[in-house]
Amino acid sequence: MSEPTPAGGREPSVTPDPPAAADTPVPPAAAPEDAVPARGMRAIEADSFSIAESVGGVRGAVESVLPGLLFVVVFVASGQQLRPALIASVAAAVLAVVARLVQRSPLTQALSGVLGVGIGVVWAWRTGDASDYFAWGLLTNVAYLLAFVVSVLVRWPLVGVVLGLFRGDGPMSEQGSWAGAVAWRRDPALLRRYALVTWLWAGMFAARLVVQVPLYYADEVAWLGTAKLVMGVPLTALVLWASWILVRGSTAARPGPPRTRPAP
């Protein structure tokens, strides 16, 4: 039976129910900036730490390790012939760049790898000494060691300077400035903490030189390559993790000035 109508025969107006909340499309929330994995030294101040992401992810680690690994393997397998080892190393570095170009991925890490491999290859090719493939890496570690040690001695620890550049108040941010990048120097606790972490990094570079320089002069190519691989990405990841442990407390939000009640 039909529902009775009110007098006058007019149907009552019906107000449609609002759509259910589940049927209403909700735009996806923008991912917070912290959701983007922090890599390299920037991982030191991240809320959480990932060893893989800190060294550029699995792909970045493979791109860093593969050229040197192929150089050592091919050099040993070919009866210590230099040319095949150099070709294999260059091919691995170039292939990494080409793959990123095809996929339109960031090229920074792959290009830096090509530069280091290229210098090592040219050096070893000109001298005919396979150990010289690693000479550029040793010189780089000397330069880094000096820079980190000097920065602590002059009370401008390099870790703090680098992190300050990428902070929200640093010059790499739209709202930041160079003054904001070094504002941490006014905090004695932060200054000491960054100095400690900078010494940690200097120790890593020193350890590499202590182990690898004697192998270089002894012309122990296989052992030198192995030491470089072990003390490369794995050791860097360990130092990044230790740095994160030491620094992460320094980035906690500090209490702001007390609120004042508005005047009546």
Side-chain angles (χ1 to χ4, degrees):
M1 296 178 61
S2 60
E3 295 290 336
T5 59
R10 301 179 63 182
E11 295 287 343
S13 61
V14 179
T15 303
D17 294 332
D23 297 333
T24 305
V26 179
E33 185 177 354
D34 291 342
V36 180
R39 298 178 175 180
M41 199 170 285
R42 295 180 67 182
I44 295 175
E45 287 191 324
D47 291 335
S48 60
F49 185 85
S50 167
I51 288 181
E53 293 298 339
S54 69
V55 293
V58 175
R59 180 175 183 175
V62 171
E63 290 174 348
S64 299
V65 169
L66 191 57
L69 177 62
L70 284 178
F71 177 84
V72 174
V73 170
V74 174
F75 181 76
V76 173
S78 63
Q80 299 189 353
Q81 294 186 32
L82 182 59
R83 179 178 295 182
L86 295 178
I87 293 175
S89 179
V90 171
V94 172
L95 183 61
V97 174
V98 172
R100 285 186 175 268
L101 283 173
V102 171
Q103 298 175 349
R104 298 183 179 181
S105 301
L107 292 173
T108 306
Q109 187 164 354
L111 287 177
S112 63
V114 167
L115 177 62
V117 170
I119 294 175
V121 166
V122 171
W123 202 326
W125 183 268
R126 293 191 62 180
T127 63
D129 188 347
S131 296
D132 284 334
Y133 175 83
F134 303 100
W136 175 251
L138 295 176
L139 291 177
T140 301
N141 279 278
V142 171
Y144 278 132
L145 174 60
L146 293 175
F148 276 71
V149 170
V150 170
S151 72
V152 177
L153 296 179
V154 299
R155 298 181 61 80
W156 281 84
L158 203 52
V159 170
V161 173
V162 173
L163 293 178
L165 294 176
F166 292 97
R167 277 184 167 179
D169 51 357
M172 305 300 288
S173 172
E174 294 181 359
Q175 307 295 331
S177 64
W178 287 100
V182 295
W184 52 268
R185 295 192 74 249
R186 297 192 293 269
D187 187 332
L190 277 180
L191 183 60
R192 288 192 299 269
R193 194 174 303 218
Y194 286 145
L196 176 60
V197 176
T198 301
W199 278 120
L200 178 64
W201 281 78
M204 180 186 71
F205 300 124
R208 289 175 177 173
L209 294 171
V210 168
V211 172
Q212 296 175 28
V213 168
L215 295 174
Y216 170 79
Y217 282 109
D219 206 24
E220 294 285 352
V221 178
W223 285 110
L224 176 58
T226 302
K228 181 176 176 61
L229 293 174
V230 173
M231 305 183 79
V233 172
L235 182 57
T236 300
L238 180 61
V239 171
L240 281 169
W241 174 77
S243 301
W244 177 75
I245 292 294
L246 293 171
V247 168
R248 62 176 178 169
S250 68
T251 59
R254 288 178 167 76
R259 295 183 179 180
T260 57
R261 295 183 179 181

